[in-house]
Amino acid sequence: MKRIVVLGGGYGGVLTAKKLAKKFKKDADISITLIDKKPYHTMLTELHEVAACRVPEEAVKIDLKQVFAGRKVDVVLDEITNIDFQGRKLESKRSTYAYDYLVVGTGCKPTFFGIPGAKEHAFTLWSFEDAVRLKLQVRQMFRDAALETDPEKRRTLLTFVVVGAGFTGIELIGELAEYREELCREFHIDESEVRLVVADMAPKILPILPDSLIRKSERYLRKRNVEIITGTQITGVREDAVCLGESGELKAGTIVWTAGVEGSELVGKLDVRQQGRKRIVTNDKLQSVDHENVYVVGDNIFYIPEGEERPVPQMVENAEHSAGLIAHNIEADIRKGRHKSYKPSFHGTMVCIGGRYGVAYIGTPKTKVKLSGFFAMFCKHFINIVYFLQVLGFHKVWNYAMHEFFHENNRRSFVGGHLAKRSPNFWLFPLRLFVGYMWLSQGLDKLGKVWKDPTNIFLIPPKAVDGTTAASQAIDSVTQTVDASSAASAVESAATAVKALPVPGFIEQMVKWSMDTFFYTADGGYTTLAVIFQTGMVLGEIVFGALLILGLFTAVSSIGTIAMGLMIWTSGMAPYEMLWYLAGGVALIGGSGSTLGLDYYVLPHLQRWWKRIPVVKRWYLYTK
């Protein structure tokens, strides 16, 4: 039995474990264990959204057992206090865990550079708990300020200082600038009373970005009434003030420290070669230079690629790249294959300054483009979605879209509030009844004809022969077999057909080919499949119409009516009224059955049952 242990449930640890599980899913003699002190994976890059109350707390947490459901990974909840490299085991207060191959991915923690009082008095933003604590602090300051009559104390309570103008600090101050509007409205405070400051010892904010994007970021922040202090020494932090060297003190009720990170406390204690704030030195295979069966992933790596001057950066893309390489090299160790060397190719960086604006510098290593505003935010969300697809598939992408676009408040999204769900579903109740009734009545009206003679095809137009139109053939056919009154009705039907919704030529050709193949015989008659199709369409109108009226499976029923409407349209027989059917179906997809409908009772039970199905758990095909 080969035992692989992944220590840490961060970006690198989760991706490494998933890739290892895929490589060894059929190997009964290989075990994979992921150990973390928390039962969830935290989206560290999204913590500012929780701290400023843009998304709910659960939006940045992913249950590790959900991630590895149905996969060859055992998730263990424990806090490792030491690693015995010689004995090949990890030690905690309550247990030990033996390993043959170890992947260290314990991540980082904030560093305070020895600044007096910073650790004791400043908030941090490097964990889920940090984000929740900061969110409560911000709200409490507004609550206290609303009742404070002393102007000086009120001013201090409403001053928020973020120390550190890197990615985390700028993203946080941007979120607070947007959140300020909501808080002032809620607590009846004038926005001009709230002071937001971002301070850094560096000469400029976001120093790794091009100057043009830095200037855009500064302009946006100042437009949002954020003060920017750069090139100023931070000499200390007190409970209610930041000491700015010769510039004096900056009084504040809330001080957040985002000025830098270092390796985790565990890594700092390990007997392995380290450089650069407690990062483990590795070779090009991402093995510790001291122990070849110990691999390092993500932020814990200290490796300078050939031709570079600096070690690989501590960013999510590094975790993603290193995870795949480590999984390959461990497989090579076990199967006696060939190792690969780490040659990262980073595609740039993105910073969101609140939910509405961002900047990005992305592309290939040789060619990068500068983006701001809508396009930068689009790229940021797109990259997040790509990551979520790797980690928790459809489930996480669905929930991410809900939190970021459809359930957001105060238009705090790069698409504004255009996609937000504002109207309660009960306003859709009359529309649901109307659309359901129309489809049901149409289906019941046709059912008698189908019951009387199933071979009487009236939903599929007759085959056009020798250039004559289907409508004229229908008239000729009818006038040869029925009286003048019926012929007049056929002419009227033909006239109506002329007013049908237009169909693009390329669709017309595809439909003609499919009908010739499946529905028409060589002599221009109808096949058995045409009879089945027509009967199915009639039954579909009845079933979907009834389900809409009952409010049962309304999303599926609405999509079904849209599909039937589109089929009627492509056949060239859809009247202009069909547009109302299609529009109504689209409007009813999103939960209209939860108000005065059976979905309110049925769907919660089905969701619990659905999530228990192995293939659904494995591929994350659920939404809650």
Side-chain angles (χ1 to χ4, degrees), residues 16-140:
T16 302
K18 287 199 74 171
K19 293 177 185 296
L20 286 168
K22 186 174 181 180
K23 290 180 179 295
F24 296 114
K25 62 183 178 181
K26 296 182 180 179
D27 296 87
D29 59 342
I30 293 175
S31 69
I32 304 169
T33 303
L34 184 140
I35 303 175
D36 197 276
K37 60 184 178 181
K38 297 176 183 176
Y40 50 81
H41 166 55
T42 304
M43 294 295 299
L44 297 179
T45 57
E46 314 299 310
L47 290 177
H48 53 277
E49 299 185 21
V50 170
C53 216
R54 177 149 67 92
V55 300
E57 296 172 10
E58 67 269 15
V60 299
K61 293 195 301 182
I62 302 176
D63 186 346
L64 288 173
K65 290 191 179 295
Q66 268 190 325
V67 173
F68 297 107
R71 285 168 173 76
K72 191 187 174 71
V73 177
D74 294 321
V75 177
V76 174
L77 185 63
D78 203 353
E79 183 173 6
I80 300 302
T81 55
N82 184 51
I83 301 176
D84 179 358
F85 293 108
Q86 301 305 320
R88 296 190 175 188
K89 60 184 179 181
L90 296 93
E91 301 168 346
S92 73
K93 292 180 179 179
R94 62 182 178 85
S95 187
T96 60
Y97 307 91
Y99 69 84
D100 295 292
Y101 297 94
L102 173 65
V103 181
V104 178
T106 56
C108 294
K109 67 174 184 176
T111 184
F112 300 95
F113 304 104
I115 303 296
K119 184 176 182 180
E120 293 78 14
H121 301 304
F123 289 84
T124 55
L125 190 62
W126 199 251
S127 69
F128 171 75
E129 291 76 18
D130 286 347
V132 174
R133 192 179 304 118
L134 184 55
K135 178 176 74 170
L136 296 175
Q137 166 71 10
V138 170
R139 292 188 61 82
Q140 189 62 48

Side-chain angles (χ1 to χ4, degrees), residues 440-485:
L440 178 62
S441 61
Q442 289 287 328
L444 291 175
D445 182 60
K446 297 167 187 169
L447 183 61
K449 301 176 185 177
V450 172
W451 185 269
K452 184 177 181 181
D453 183 5
T455 62
N456 176 25
I457 305 299
F458 53 86
L459 287 182
I460 303 173
K463 183 177 182 180
V465 182
D466 298 331
T468 59
T469 66
S472 63
Q473 287 186 66
I475 297 172
D476 293 341
S477 174
V478 173
T479 53
Q480 291 172 12
T481 56
V482 300
D483 58 22
S485 175

Side-chain angles (χ1 to χ4, degrees), residues 471-472 474-475 478-479 484-500:
S472 63
I475 297 172
V478 173
T479 53
S485 175
S486 298
S489 298
V491 172
E492 186 179 351
S493 299
T496 303
V498 173
K499 297 178 183 177

Side-chain angles (χ1 to χ4, degrees), residues 303-336:
Y303 169 65
I304 302 176
E306 185 178 352
E308 299 289 335
E309 297 180 357
R310 296 182 178 182
V312 292
Q314 292 169 294
M315 53 193 294
V316 175
E317 193 173 11
N318 176 42
E320 294 179 7
H321 290 173
S322 57
L325 181 101
I326 289 171
H328 170 85
N329 285 346
I330 291 178
E331 182 185 33
D333 285 334
I334 293 174
R335 305 194 195 281
K336 309 302 180 186

Side-chain angles (χ1 to χ4, degrees), residues 248-265:
E249 293 184 346
L250 178 56
K251 299 278 285 185
T254 303
I255 301 163
V256 188
W257 189 272
T258 65
V261 295
E262 63 183 18
S264 66
E265 185 175 348

Side-chain angles (χ1 to χ4, degrees), residues 386-397:
V386 170
Y387 174 73
F388 291 141
L389 282 171
Q390 297 178 72
V391 175
L392 208 60
F394 171 78
H395 169 69
K396 183 58 185 175
V397 171

